């Protein structure tokens, strides 16, 4: 796989992208705390970020399938440069407010939601069905290297150059990413011809939902991608407050804990690479959710840095492993001409789910400790694992025809 020069370049771009994203997430969340934000403020930040992902995923799916997947990916990277750059500028003049950080975070997350689908849609363009699990494993392993390096870098940069100025590191990285994506050579892909109308985007997403309803195995797999995905996307609604308020640790410790999450996810990605191809992997889907929920509950027991590092790594590994299994299954079962829309549908469900979860967790922080909220979240993930076991296992052997 790594002999493919396009995949190597794409892997490098994605690694740097997740590095910049990991840095941005740590810095923006810590900026909210520095500016006087509460756990509820962090939950509102996460909810706004999730809400921004809904229109991005809804309208982005048809764009991915009907236009250049590379062009859409470049746009998601370049579109994050200017808004993030406004934050250190406002901070330099003493005009930065919490609502500025929330707005930038929502914009960045909206484009991240779209880029997750557009990057993912590029993999089936490079590999056949039998190699998708290995490709996703390598993909996620490289991505998590970026995440934990970016998180640690952000945590270390904050006390040295300041939280707002730390964002400049991510901005410079985005410029390199755009250049790498533009230099990448991709094989041509046939797309279905269709008359473009004003209702194109709504009609395309409606067609994707109709396809999922006809093939219930694919539908449930697509929907359950949102469970580990929401955990990975939304952990910063509770983790900064957990580190700062419950465990009384600082920004550098927060960066290290977030980095430990990424290390665990990296290990899980490598393990996924060594798994056999997709045949029979449906047996692990529900179990991966159960393990993720248990690991999340264990995280709540951590009261110092070493245990926080250990359990954060465990949660990162189980959540990422679950996400890889679910996403690879969706990519393998989805008809090629609908891959972008179906991945975007999954991202749409993820954004909607996290919007509700973030507000719910934020409301719980008003009368519960963050530690208790994490336990509640872990129990809900365990329950989703039992639901997945009931809904997915009997149906996943069904095959989806590719000539829809």
């Amino acid at each position: 796989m790594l002999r493919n020069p396009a995949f190597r370049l794409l892997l490098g771009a994605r690694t740097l992208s997740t590095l910049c994203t990991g840095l941005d997430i740590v810095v923006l969340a810590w900026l909210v705390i520095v500016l006087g934000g509460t756990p509820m403020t962090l939950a509102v930040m996460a909810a706004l970020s999730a809400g921004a992902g809904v229109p991005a995923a809804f309208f982005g799916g048809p764009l991915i399938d009907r236009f250049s997947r590379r062009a859409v990916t470049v746009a998601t990277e370049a579109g994050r440069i200017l808004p993030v750059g406004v934050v250190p500028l406002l901070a330099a003049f003493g005009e930065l407010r919490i609502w500025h950080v929330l707005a930038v975070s929502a914009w960045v997350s909206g484009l991240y939601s779209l880029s997750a689908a557009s990057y993912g849609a590029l993999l089936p363009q490079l590999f056949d069905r039998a190699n998708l699990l290995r490709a996703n494993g390598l993909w996620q392993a490289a991505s998590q290297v970026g995440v934990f390096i970016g998180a640690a870098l952000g945590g270390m940069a904050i006390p040295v150059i300041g939280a707002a100025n730390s964002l400049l590191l991510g901005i410079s990285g985005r410029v390199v990413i755009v250049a790498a994506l533009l230099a990448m050579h991709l094989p041509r892909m046939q797309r279905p011809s269709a008359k473009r109308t004003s209702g194109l985007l709504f009609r395309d997403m409606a067609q994707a939902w109709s396809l999922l309803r006809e093939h219930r195995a694919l539908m449930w797999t697509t929907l359950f991608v949102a469970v580990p995905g929401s955990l990975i996307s939304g952990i910063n609604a509770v983790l900064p407050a957990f580190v700062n308020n419950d465990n009384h640790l600082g920004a550098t410790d927060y960066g290290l804990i977030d980095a430990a999450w990424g290390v665990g996810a990296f290990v899980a990605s490598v393990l996924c690479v060594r798994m056999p191809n997709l045949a029979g992997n449906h047996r692990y889907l529900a179990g991966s959710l159960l393990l993720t929920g248990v690991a999340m509950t264990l995280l709540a027991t951590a009261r110092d840095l070493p245990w926080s590092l250990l359990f954060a790594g465990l949660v990162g590994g189980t959540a990422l492993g679950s996400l890889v299994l679910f996403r690879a299954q969706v990519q393998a079962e989805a008809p090629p001409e609908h891959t972008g829309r179906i991945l975007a549908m999954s991202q749409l469900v993820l954004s909607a789910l996290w919007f509700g979860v973030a507000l719910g967790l934020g409301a719980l922080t008003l009368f519960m400790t963050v530690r208790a909220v994490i336990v509640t979240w872990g129990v809900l993930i365990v329950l989703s694992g039992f639901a997945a076991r009931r809904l997915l296992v009997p149906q996943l052997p069904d095959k989806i025809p590719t000539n829809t």
Side-chain angles (χ1 to χ4, degrees), residues 16-51:
L16 184 55
S17 176
T18 55
L19 186 153
C20 296
T21 299
L23 184 147
D24 290 346
I25 288 173
V26 166
V27 173
L28 290 171
W30 202 258
L31 268 173
V32 170
I33 293 176
V34 170
L35 294 172
T38 65
M40 184 63 192
T41 309
L42 289 168
V44 170
M45 177 181 180
L48 290 173
S49 298

Side-chain angles (χ1 to χ4, degrees), residues 1-242:
M1 288 185 175
L2 292 176
R3 294 177 182 177
N4 185 328
F7 183 56
R8 289 199 303 270
L9 197 54
L10 185 63
L11 209 59
R14 180 60 173 173
T15 303
L16 184 55
S17 176
T18 55
L19 186 153
C20 296
T21 299
L23 184 147
D24 290 346
I25 288 173
V26 166
V27 173
L28 290 171
W30 202 258
L31 268 173
V32 170
I33 293 176
V34 170
L35 294 172
T38 65
M40 184 63 192
T41 309
L42 289 168
V44 170
M45 177 181 180
L48 290 173
S49 298
V54 172
F58 183 86
F59 292 105
L63 294 177
I64 293 168
D65 283 335
R66 293 185 176 272
F67 299 98
S68 166
R69 294 175 178 178
R70 174 179 28 205
V72 175
T73 306
V74 167
T76 65
E77 297 288 357
R80 284 179 265 188
I81 294 175
L82 183 60
V84 173
V86 170
V87 174
L89 183 63
L90 289 173
F93 288 98
E95 298 296 329
L96 185 63
R97 303 291 181 267
I98 287 180
W99 75 265
H100 295 141
V101 180
L102 298 186
V104 170
S105 176
W107 175 263
V108 168
S109 296
L111 289 181
Y112 175 78
S113 181
L114 177 54
S115 72
S118 64
Y119 270 114
L122 286 167
L123 291 181
Q125 193 170 338
L126 292 173
F127 299 104
D128 58 23
R129 183 182 187 277
N131 289 309
L132 277 174
L133 181 58
R134 293 184 61 214
N136 273 276
L138 286 170
W139 181 259
Q140 294 294 346
S143 297
Q144 293 309 314
V145 168
V147 167
F148 68 72
I149 292 176
L153 180 61
M156 291 185 291
I158 289 171
V160 177
I161 61 176
N165 290 335
S166 299
L167 293 171
L168 296 173
L169 300 175
I171 292 172
S172 59
R174 300 277 180 208
V175 175
V176 176
I177 295 164
V178 170
L181 290 172
L182 291 175
M184 182 176 58
H185 175 73
L186 288 171
R188 291 185 177 273
M189 181 177 179
Q190 293 292 331
R191 293 183 177 82
S193 60
K195 182 179 179 180
R196 286 171 168 73
T197 67
S198 58
L200 171 68
L201 300 179
F202 291 93
R203 188 179 68 247
D204 279 4
M205 291 303 279
Q207 289 174 351
W209 179 246
S210 296
L211 175 70
L212 291 176
R213 289 182 62 187
E214 292 173 6
H215 306 288
R216 297 182 67 83
L218 178 59
M219 180 183 74
W220 285 118
T221 309
T222 300
L223 296 180
F224 272 102
V225 172
V227 177
S230 69
L231 183 61
I232 291 171
S233 301
I235 188 62
N236 281 285
V238 293
L239 190 59
F242 178 64

Side-chain angles (χ1 to χ4, degrees), residues 26 43 51 59 126-127 156 217 221 281 296 310 355 358-359 388 393 395:
V26 166
F59 292 105
L126 292 173
F127 299 104
M156 291 185 291
T221 309
N281 279 342
M296 190 68 183
L310 176 63
F355 180 79
L359 289 181
V393 176
Q395 299 180 20

